[in-house]
Amino acid sequence: MCRYAVKTYKSHYVCFTCRKSFKQPAVYDILRRIEKEKVYHEPDGKSINIGSVFVNRKESRLFKLPNTEEGKELVSTLENRVIRCPECRSIMADLGKDFKAPKKTAAKEWKIIESLFKTGKCFHSCGCDGIGYIPKNPMDYQMYLKTILLDYQVSLTACQKIPIEEFPDKAEEIKYWSDRIQRIKTEIIDNKFEIM
């Protein structure tokens, strides 16, 4: 059973500059909290701060009808909010509920985590299987990138071999795998690893 279905967990947002991680509630949790505020407080027009978003209690009644334009607008605002680091004010990266931050002094591990994020790796899961393998040192990371690069190249080759009649979205799929391959190659070069 998915552990995230049973209990509410917050997502980990990371500042790579400060090497710190902060938790933030998901949109669904913010909406539940707005509804709770509405139930226990009379709408007196005062604003409340929920997850770095100011919401007017009078507006919180919109969630009786979430399909209204105002309700959709508030959901969109919450989904597109920018989370900033409380220390340096730079935009933080959402690494998911399964992320476990290394110590602030572990500079090599933080560099690997940032590099993984640039390649598209995040720590979002349903809570059943965990986050998978995370390299701990530069040598392991080099092997990890090369393995992922080979897997992506195999996927691209397999996609290119399928006739367009059997696979109408072939062009999009080829673009997807080409972009992924380019991201991995960029990280290999940025980390001064050898490309196979």
Side-chain angles (χ1 to χ4, degrees):
M1 180 176 185
C2 300
R3 72 175 186 263
Y4 297 142
V6 178
K7 185 180 174 190
T8 302
Y9 288 84
K10 294 180 179 179
S11 195
H12 294 264
Y13 283 77
V14 170
C15 176
F16 293 115
T17 306
C18 299
R19 286 186 274 191
K20 288 192 173 183
S21 173
F22 301 92
K23 294 181 182 179
Q24 288 289 326
V27 173
Y28 172 75
D29 296 328
I30 294 172
L31 296 178
R32 281 188 21 206
R33 208 165 144 194
I34 290 171
E35 287 179 343
K36 184 178 178 183
E37 288 288 325
K38 180 184 61 124
V39 170
Y40 294 110
H41 298 284
E42 289 298 317
D44 56 4
K46 292 183 181 174
S47 293
I48 54 175
N49 185 352
I50 300 175
S52 303
V53 176
F54 285 94
V55 178
N56 188 300
R57 283 197 186 124
K58 283 184 179 175
E59 292 176 4
S60 68
R61 62 188 155 86
L62 295 171
F63 289 95
K64 284 223 176 242
L65 299 170
N67 293 328
T68 63
E69 284 301 314
E70 295 87 5
K72 288 178 184 177
E73 186 178 325
L74 185 54
V75 170
S76 175
T77 301
L78 292 171
E79 287 175 341
N80 297 316
R81 73 191 192 274
V82 175
I83 307 295
R84 294 195 174 274
C85 176
E87 292 185 9
C88 71
R89 303 300 300 155
S90 61
I91 296 174
M92 299 179 75
D94 179 7
L95 291 187
K97 296 174 182 171
D98 290 326
F99 177 70
K100 185 176 186 296
K103 292 181 181 180
K104 185 176 180 176
T105 56
K108 288 180 182 177
E109 288 182 39
W110 276 102
K111 186 174 186 222
I112 290 171
I113 298 293
E114 183 176 9
S115 184
L116 284 170
F117 177 71
K118 288 178 186 175
T119 63
K121 172 96 171 145
C122 290
F123 305 91
H124 297 280
S125 78
C126 68
C128 296
D129 299 328
I131 56 173
Y133 172 71
I134 303 298
K136 296 290 182 198
N137 59 54
M139 192 170 184
D140 290 345
Y141 185 52
Q142 180 178 4
M143 289 305 299
Y144 173 81
L145 286 177
K146 288 181 178 182
T147 303
I148 295 295
L149 180 62
L150 285 174
D151 289 346
Y152 289 173
Q153 289 171 335
V154 167
S155 296
L156 177 63
T157 304
C159 179
Q160 289 171 333
K161 290 180 180 177
I162 301 172
I164 193 77
E165 298 81 31
E166 294 177 24
F167 190 33
D169 296 331
K170 181 177 178 176
E172 291 175 29
E173 192 74 10
I174 289 173
K175 184 181 182 322
Y176 172 81
W177 288 114
S178 298
D179 290 345
R180 301 288 294 224
I181 289 168
Q182 189 54 48
R183 280 188 195 179
I184 299 294
K185 285 183 177 179
T186 300
E187 282 308 305
I188 288 172
I189 291 167
D190 288 350
N191 285 286
K192 297 179 176 66
F193 297 146
E194 283 185 33
I195 297 179
M196 297 170 40

